[in-house]
Amino acid sequence: METAHMPHLHTFHQPLPPMPMQHMPSLSHQPMSEQAQQDSIDRARAYKSRNKRPCDFCRYKKAACHLDSQPPCELCIRYNKECTFVESPAKRRRPNDVDGSISRRKSSGSFDQTVHIVGGSANTSYVNGGSMEMEHHISGWDDDMQAFNMPGMALTPGLGPPDFGPYDPALYQEPMTFDEFEPISASETPVETADHKHQANVHRSPKDASTAPILAPSPTGLHLPLDTTSGEPSLDNQASSNAQIVGMSGEIDPYLLSRYRYDQYNEATFQSIRIRKMNAASIAENSVPAFFTIAHNALASKAQPVETTDVMEQYRHEVEEMVNDDVGKRLIRLFYKYVQPYFPVLTREGRYVRDADGIREPRTVSTCILAAIYGHALPFCAWDEKLCVEVYTPPSADALFRIAWLACQPTMHTPSLAVLQTILLLVQRRPTNKHVSDTPVKWVMMTEAVSLAQALGLNRDPTDWPLPSWEIKVRKRLAWATFVQDKWLALNFGRASHIQADDWDVPALAETDFADADREGPDAPAGFWGQHFAKLAELTVIVDDIMHGLFSLRATKALQGSLDATLEVAKPLRIRLTEWHHSLPAGLLPLAGAGTGTAPSSSEKERDRRKSLSHDLDGNCSLYLAYITAKIELFRAMLRPEGTAANQAAVTALRTGALTVAREVFEFLEGLNARELEAFWASYARTNFTIASSFILLLFVTAPTTSDATECLSLLTAWRSLLRIKSRSCDLLNLALLRLDGVFVAGVERLIEISPAAARAWGESGLG
């Protein structure tokens, strides 16, 4: 992203005492008086009432203004605009007109670039929150645009725009109230309203707020209003702007920023950005200062790559052509019921447009995340009472995920939680080629997700930050979703993780972190349903330590020749895995209890309980497969050193334990039924099944005795047969079967160097 230029520190505003707007001193960017503002609004509204005429943005776009009762209209919601009715209809004027309203138009390619100056302030229209091309270049930043000469605004050529003044809520008050809406995504609340302007319970800086500078409107039109709907100003709910964390070693020193003066909203305003203070640095309390820069999206308008408005609108048109609003609402409901409980990256709190039945309106969701939601919900159409009979030709999931990918790329210049949510959903998509584990693009996507998470400060603990409670909760869930995806993809690819433990400071997930993301409908289970994802996050921390302690390049070099050293590293990890398994709630354990460590009586009771609840899909088995995979990885590391006469007893014990884990994964797969195979599975589950195939094959080819080899070969052939049966109804198993089929068809003894005992067992089996 092209970041805003940080001015020299001596340009920071010195504190000024607050005073009424009518008594403000004359400044180069003096705003209109309240009376002048009211007169301008009255004149603008005179020609037609609000519900009879288009809003300012729709008039500018020359589009129909769909406004049922109260603002915002559909187009303003979609493009993240303030739905205002302050401008009069545009009049034709000669190019040299400079009184009151100036319009300048110039052609650039296939679209026009226009700027309107009304009443002494620039009102600019941006597309898609400014992440697309600006439809004009901001005055003072456009080399070929002359400065406007207007009362109260003196722009000197070559000096750029005057500094942003501090934010004054009174300057942006609107004499109207809007309905409270509820978002599907943390960052998709598009407008702010008069009834949730700054409230009395916002977090205050330790500095005296009365000495903070008064914020004046920007002469460039880049207003950065706050959203204090929940009592605290949001970071992600910024109107057409984005917030990024200030790094510890970057161009801005957080410890220097700690000494600045901030207003009552913990903000300081510079020439083109705001600085938001999230905490007070305290060496005694061992806290690290946290600051965010908040910049208008328009500052990234010239960043590359970029898409034109027409292309972005075409993406939206394609999605709406494939999925109409009625089907879309049903797909959103399916997503919340069958995906969100196991991958809770969305949120239901905040403000968002819903219909009479409480279903989120697809027209108000950004294109990239909407397409990703539809793509993940399509496999569950059979569980909708209408889609199961009416959608005869469902849209292409490939096309939807393609649009989600293309539509989110330009918005990476102005990152938000919605962009990260889209990337995570793209990474979560199941592989489509049964012949390969995954292409490198999945790893590239994960790199982008981690980069976005770091830019948004998701690797920091937000618990005590002055943010709305829903935003703190969704930030924690998104942080752990990024962590989980990164670590399991690293395991699957056999590569180093992007996230380092030294830079991870997010607390463990608690039940309260899922209060805003519960399932919809009367079938929602009682209790803490978020425990699936919370337990997955706990398991992933252990897996990260396994990968770091046993499979990093340095660890592999140091341990591959020493069984004793390997066992010393593995022992505490095995204990942690066992403790994690014992802490699992009964509802997360698989029904097949023979090889899972679950007592038969407990398994029978749990089976009866689940049958009495419903015959709905159950996606918890993906979690248990991850646990078995973690155990397999431990035994793979412990079996690397060659056995000697001195440690033969230890090697024998290890092989016995490894064979037990191999039987466990066999019994796990054998016990899976249709309601579990058809449920949501993490994208890395496919590779986890393939890892199981490789592990059982490894046990056979390294068998030290004939009896051991015979037992391993029997399990291997049974596993292959089971994969053939189960893969007919579950494509997750195709790659695991393909890997074994290739070995059996080519001939194990001809393809692999096997132990003498394994060779005898293979020859006696007649498979050769």
Side-chain angles (χ1 to χ4, degrees):
M1 169 181 175
E2 293 186 359
T3 57
H5 174 66
M6 183 68 190
H8 296 293
L9 295 178
H10 68 265
T11 64
F12 178 75
H13 287 281
Q14 295 299 319
L16 297 175
M19 62 186 67
M21 291 302 299
Q22 59 267 29
H23 297 300
M24 283 186 65
S26 177
L27 302 174
S28 62
H29 50 280
Q30 180 179 356
M32 293 185 295
S33 68
E34 293 180 2
Q35 183 61 42
Q37 286 179 318
Q38 187 60 45
D39 292 344
S40 175
I41 293 173
D42 291 342
R43 288 194 303 271
R45 293 175 178 163
Y47 91 100
K48 190 181 289 186
S49 63
R50 184 180 304 164
N51 62 349
K52 298 292 186 179
R53 65 187 178 94
C55 68
D56 300 333
F57 184 62
C58 288
R59 181 188 296 113
Y60 175 77
K61 294 290 292 181
K62 298 180 180 179
C65 187
H66 298 291
L67 181 64
D68 296 334
S69 57
Q70 294 177 326
C73 67
E74 291 185 14
L75 197 66
C76 287
I77 290 174
R78 181 177 303 172
Y79 287 100
N80 198 17
K81 300 299 175 184
E82 294 185 72
C83 194
T84 58
F85 295 81
V86 298
E87 295 189 21
S88 301
K91 297 181 180 180
R92 293 182 179 275
R93 293 182 180 273
R94 290 178 296 179
N96 59 351
D97 283 344
V98 295
D99 54 339
S101 177
I102 299 177
S103 177
R104 182 178 182 189
R105 179 179 297 267
K106 69 178 181 178
S107 176
S108 176
S110 61
F111 63 95
D112 292 331
Q113 298 177 327
T114 306
V115 58
H116 299 286
I117 308 298
V118 182
S121 64
N123 295 283
T124 310
S125 295
Y126 305 103
V127 179
N128 200 20
S131 59
M132 303 306 98
E133 84 286 348
M134 286 197 309
E135 302 219 1
H136 77 92
H137 300 306
I138 303 301
S139 59
W141 294 328
D142 186 359
D143 296 334
D144 60 353
M145 178 175 287
Q146 300 298 324
F148 296 108
N149 297 315
M150 296 174 294
M153 181 187 293
L155 292 180
T156 303
L159 295 182
D163 293 355
F164 280 91
Y167 177 77
D168 186 351
L171 296 177
Y172 303 100
Q173 293 286 357
E174 298 182 52
M176 63 185 78
T177 58
F178 300 164
D179 291 333
E180 285 295 324
F181 300 137
E182 188 171 355
I184 192 172
S185 162
S187 60
E188 294 175 16
T189 302
V191 296
E192 63 165 345
T193 64
D195 62 335
H196 62 281
K197 298 290 179 180
H198 316 294
Q199 303 172 7
N201 60 338
V202 294
H203 177 80
R204 289 185 174 272
S205 168
K207 302 292 185 183
D208 184 4
S210 64
T211 64
I214 297 176
L215 286 137
S218 165
T220 62
L222 300 184
H223 302 315
L224 302 177
L226 294 172
D227 185 332
T228 57
T229 309
S230 303
E232 301 286 3
S234 169
L235 271 179
D236 194 64
N237 243 5
Q238 299 285 334
S240 301
S241 59
N242 64 92
Q244 298 184 46
I245 191 80
V246 175
M248 302 309 298
S249 62
E251 57 169 320
I252 312 175
D253 187 346
Y255 287 91
L256 177 60
L257 292 178
S258 298
R259 306 181 68 87
Y260 276 66
R261 297 185 185 276
Y262 296 87
D263 63 17
Q264 65 267 41
Y265 307 110
N266 292 318
E267 291 199 350
T269 303
F270 294 86
Q271 184 175 11
S272 54
I273 62 172
R274 299 201 315 259
I275 300 292
R276 173 79 63 83
K277 180 180 181 180
M278 306 308 296
N279 63 2
S282 174
I283 297 178
E285 298 178 0
N286 198 28
S287 64
V288 178
F291 294 88
F292 281 81
T293 60
I294 302 176
H296 200 287
N297 292 342
L299 296 178
S301 62
K302 295 183 180 180
Q304 297 296 327
V306 69
E307 287 289 2
T308 64
T309 306
D310 292 342
V311 172
M312 299 302 293
E313 290 182 346
Q314 179 60 31
Y315 293 152
R316 185 71 186 198
H317 177 71
E318 290 179 14
V319 172
E320 292 175 346
E321 284 289 310
M322 286 188 284
V323 181
N324 61 46
D325 276 0
D326 180 60
V327 174
K329 285 185 286 187
R330 293 181 174 276
L331 290 177
I332 292 173
R333 181 185 289 274
L334 289 173
F335 181 94
Y336 261 85
K337 187 174 183 180
Y338 295 113
V339 180
Q340 176 80 354
Y342 311 106
F343 196 59
V345 295
L346 305 184
T347 182
R348 296 178 61 192
E349 287 188 350
R351 299 170 55 250
Y352 216 77
V353 178
R354 290 170 172 260
D355 64 7
D357 298 325
I359 306 300
R360 280 152 295 278
E361 294 285 355
R363 60 185 172 83
T364 61
V365 184
S366 60
T367 303
C368 58
I369 196 169
L370 185 65
I373 290 171
Y374 288 167
H376 277 284
L378 281 178
F380 305 103
C381 284
W383 282 265
D384 182 271
E385 292 300 329
K386 185 176 180 180
L387 299 183
C388 65
V389 295
E390 293 191 6
V391 181
Y392 299 104
T393 307
S396 167
D398 292 340
L400 287 169
F401 283 118
R402 171 185 170 275
I403 292 174
W405 171 252
L406 294 175
C408 78
Q409 291 302 304
T411 61
M412 289 186 183
H413 297 301
T414 56
S416 66
L417 297 185
V419 182
L420 177 60
Q421 289 164 333
T422 303
I423 297 296
L424 289 175
L425 288 176
L426 288 170
V427 173
Q428 188 60 261
R429 185 191 182 190
R430 289 186 184 183
T432 56
N433 189 336
K434 71 176 184 178
H435 299 289
V436 295
S437 176
D438 254 323
T439 64
V441 73
K442 183 68 73 70
W443 192 243
V444 172
M445 287 183 182
M446 195 66 246
T447 305
E448 292 184 339
V450 173
S451 298
L452 288 172
Q454 292 174 340
L456 296 170
L458 294 181
N459 58 322
R460 304 284 295 273
D461 181 5
T463 304
D464 297 325
W465 289 357
L467 292 174
S469 60
W470 66 265
E471 189 165 348
I472 292 176
K473 288 181 285 188
V474 77
R475 287 180 70 89
K476 288 180 64 177
R477 294 202 307 270
L478 282 174
W480 281 108
T482 305
F483 184 91
V484 167
Q485 290 290 92
D486 177 64
K487 299 304 180 181
W488 283 102
L489 278 186
L491 184 150
N492 285 173
F493 280 107
R495 296 171 186 166
S497 167
H498 299 99
I499 298 176
Q500 304 303 315
D502 291 343
D503 291 316
W504 186 258
D505 188 32
V506 184
L509 292 168
E511 182 173 357
T512 55
D513 294 322
F514 297 87
D516 68 314
D518 57 326
R519 289 191 187 185
E520 293 184 356
D523 297 330
F528 177 26
W529 69 259
Q531 59 194 355
H532 173 103
F533 189 72
K535 284 297 181 181
L536 176 61
E538 292 178 9
L539 176 63
T540 306
V541 173
I542 302 175
V543 168
D544 182 37
D545 291 339
I546 291 174
M547 298 301 295
H548 177 74
L550 294 171
F551 288 93
S552 66
L553 289 178
R554 289 187 178 181
T556 301
K557 283 185 177 181
L559 301 177
Q560 63 182 349
S562 172
L563 178 59
D564 291 340
T566 302
L567 293 178
E568 183 177 355
V569 174
K571 182 178 179 180
L573 296 171
R574 295 180 69 181
I575 294 174
R576 289 170 61 188
L577 269 181
T578 302
E579 292 175 347
W580 177 90
H581 175 255
H582 289 163
S583 70
L584 280 180
L588 299 185
L589 292 171
L591 293 180
T596 62
T598 306
S601 58
S602 174
S603 179
E604 291 295 335
K605 292 179 181 179
E606 178 61 23
R607 182 182 292 108
D608 294 339
R609 187 189 70 83
R610 292 196 200 178
K611 286 183 177 180
S612 65
L613 288 177
S614 70
H615 293 282
D616 207 351
L617 301 182
D618 182 0
N620 287 314
C621 288
S622 177
L623 174 64
Y624 205 85
L625 174 63
Y627 162 68
I628 298 176
T629 303
K631 291 204 293 185
I632 288 175
E633 294 295 331
L634 274 176
F635 277 101
R636 283 176 59 176
M638 291 186 291
L639 290 173
R640 283 186 311 213
E642 293 184 3
T644 62
N647 60 23
Q648 191 59 45
V651 172
T652 302
L654 279 178
R655 287 195 60 86
T656 301
L659 192 56
T660 300
V661 174
R663 292 195 190 98
E664 181 178 354
V665 70
F666 176 86
E667 293 170 0
F668 168 77
L669 178 58
E670 187 179 37
L672 295 180
N673 53 37
R675 65 186 292 266
E676 293 159 336
L677 290 172
E678 293 294 330
F680 173 82
W681 288 79
S683 60
Y684 46 81
R686 181 171 183 257
T687 304
N688 287 351
F689 278 117
T690 309
I691 288 174
S693 290
S694 176
F695 180 64
I696 299 174
L697 180 61
L698 173 68
L699 292 179
F700 167 65
V701 301
T702 58
T705 64
T706 303
S707 60
D708 190 342
T710 302
E711 187 175 5
C712 290
L713 181 58
S714 176
L715 179 61
L716 183 64
T717 54
W719 173 255
R720 183 189 180 200
S721 299
L722 182 61
L723 287 175
R724 281 180 172 175
I725 296 172
K726 296 286 187 177
S727 64
R728 303 293 294 177
S729 57
C730 182
D731 59 357
L732 286 171
L733 304 173
N734 287 334
L735 185 62
L737 175 62
L738 182 65
R739 292 289 186 260
L740 287 184
D741 283 345
V743 172
F744 273 76
V745 170
V748 174
E749 79 286 358
R750 292 189 294 272
L751 190 65
I752 304 174
E753 181 181 344
I754 62 180
S755 68
R760 288 194 296 272
W762 178 263
E764 293 173 359
S765 67
L767 295 173

